[in-house]
């Protein structure tokens, strides 16, 4: 659980922060993206996620809970009728995205854009059963090296026919010690 903020919240009282975040959430749902400071975007994200989750439920009680936070009937209607159905049913959260934008010209405050994520979710492929990494890695690494060496030897043999001197050296190496003694 996140640690509660102590002292002034975003430069004001707790009630001012609630009103400011509610207004930011209204602007987010109205425009589908808002550029604000990084701190405000990070504080807005959990609130927006909770409101979207309630809107996806779609019942009367959820609508009244969202209306108690936002105080704007037009925005609540848009949230329930347009935004919530547009969000993919497989998405289990992460309906907002924060992108850092740089710094504000006047006071050099870090800016961020918070926007709704309306794209679909790509299913992850299930991983294969785990195999021991050491046992699986060594044979795979050894095979390519052997094949490289074998292919180089074959290429060398095809390029140069053996000379009589090399044939004699190979013949001597193949002779047994008994044959050498005779």
């Amino acid at each position: 659980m996140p640690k509660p903020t102590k002292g002034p919240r975003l430069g004001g009282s707790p009630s001012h922060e609630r009103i400011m975040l509610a207004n930011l959430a209204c602007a987010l749902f109205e425009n589908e993206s808002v550029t604000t400071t990084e701190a405000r975007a990070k504080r807005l994200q959990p609130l927006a996620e909770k409101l979207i989750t309630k809107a996806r439920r779609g019942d009367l009680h959820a609508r009244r809970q969202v209306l108690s936070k936002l105080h704007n009937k037009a925005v609540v209607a848009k949230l329930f009728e347009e935004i919530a159905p547009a969000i993919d049913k497989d998405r289990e959260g992460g309906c907002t995205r924060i992108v850092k934008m740089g710094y504000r010209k006047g006071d050099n405050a870090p800016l961020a854009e918070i926007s709704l994520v309306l794209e679909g979710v790509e299913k992850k492929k299930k991983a294969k059963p785990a195999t021991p990494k050491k046992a699986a890695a060594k044979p795979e690494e050894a095979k390519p090296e052997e094949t490289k060496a074998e292919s180089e030897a074959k290429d060398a043999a095809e390029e140069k026919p053996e000379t009589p001197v090399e044939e004699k050296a190979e013949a001597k190496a193949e002779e047994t010690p008994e044959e050498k003694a005779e």
Side-chain angles (χ1 to χ4, degrees):
M1 182 172 170
K3 185 177 179 183
T5 306
K6 293 183 179 179
R9 290 156 179 86
L10 295 177
S13 65
S15 60
H16 181 258
E17 181 185 25
R18 272 195 306 273
I19 293 167
M20 184 175 49
L21 291 177
N23 288 335
L24 272 173
C26 283
L28 174 65
F29 297 137
E30 206 170 338
N31 303 316
E32 297 184 2
S33 70
V34 174
T35 302
T36 183
T37 62
E38 245 179 77
R40 286 181 182 176
K42 287 180 181 179
R43 296 297 289 267
L44 173 62
Q45 191 171 24
L47 175 70
E49 295 280 342
K50 289 174 188 171
L51 294 175
I52 290 170
T53 303
K54 288 179 183 174
R56 287 173 72 181
R57 270 192 358 219
D59 57 352
L60 182 61
H61 181 61
R63 185 179 290 264
R64 286 180 176 164
Q65 284 180 323
V66 171
L67 196 56
S68 72
K69 300 278 186 193
L70 293 185
H71 306 296
N72 189 339
K73 288 183 183 179
V75 172
V76 172
K78 181 176 180 180
L79 175 63
F80 275 78
E81 295 166 9
E82 295 175 22
I83 296 172
I87 293 174
D88 192 11
K89 299 292 181 194
D90 295 334
R91 187 174 292 280
E92 297 178 356
C95 300
T96 57
R97 170 187 304 138
I98 295 177
V99 179
K100 295 182 181 181
M101 302 287 291
Y103 297 94
R104 192 159 48 197
K105 190 172 184 182
D107 60 354
N108 207 29
L111 293 177
E113 180 186 35
I114 183 167
S115 59
L116 298 175
V117 179
L118 301 175
E119 297 93 31
V121 177
E122 293 181 16
K123 297 269 186 173
K124 290 185 179 179
K125 295 180 182 177
K126 291 187 178 180
K128 294 179 182 177
T131 58
K133 291 183 180 180
K134 293 179 182 177
K138 288 183 181 178
E140 292 175 4
E141 292 174 3
K143 288 180 183 178
E145 293 173 4
E146 291 174 5
T147 56
K148 287 180 185 177
E150 290 173 0
S151 63
E152 289 175 3
K154 289 178 183 177
D155 291 340
E158 291 175 0
E159 291 176 7
K160 295 181 182 178
E162 293 184 12
T163 58
V165 176
E166 291 175 354
E167 289 177 2
K168 289 179 183 178
E170 287 179 7
K172 288 182 181 178
E174 292 176 2
E175 290 179 1
T176 60
E178 296 172 354
E179 293 175 351
K180 288 182 182 177
E182 293 175 5

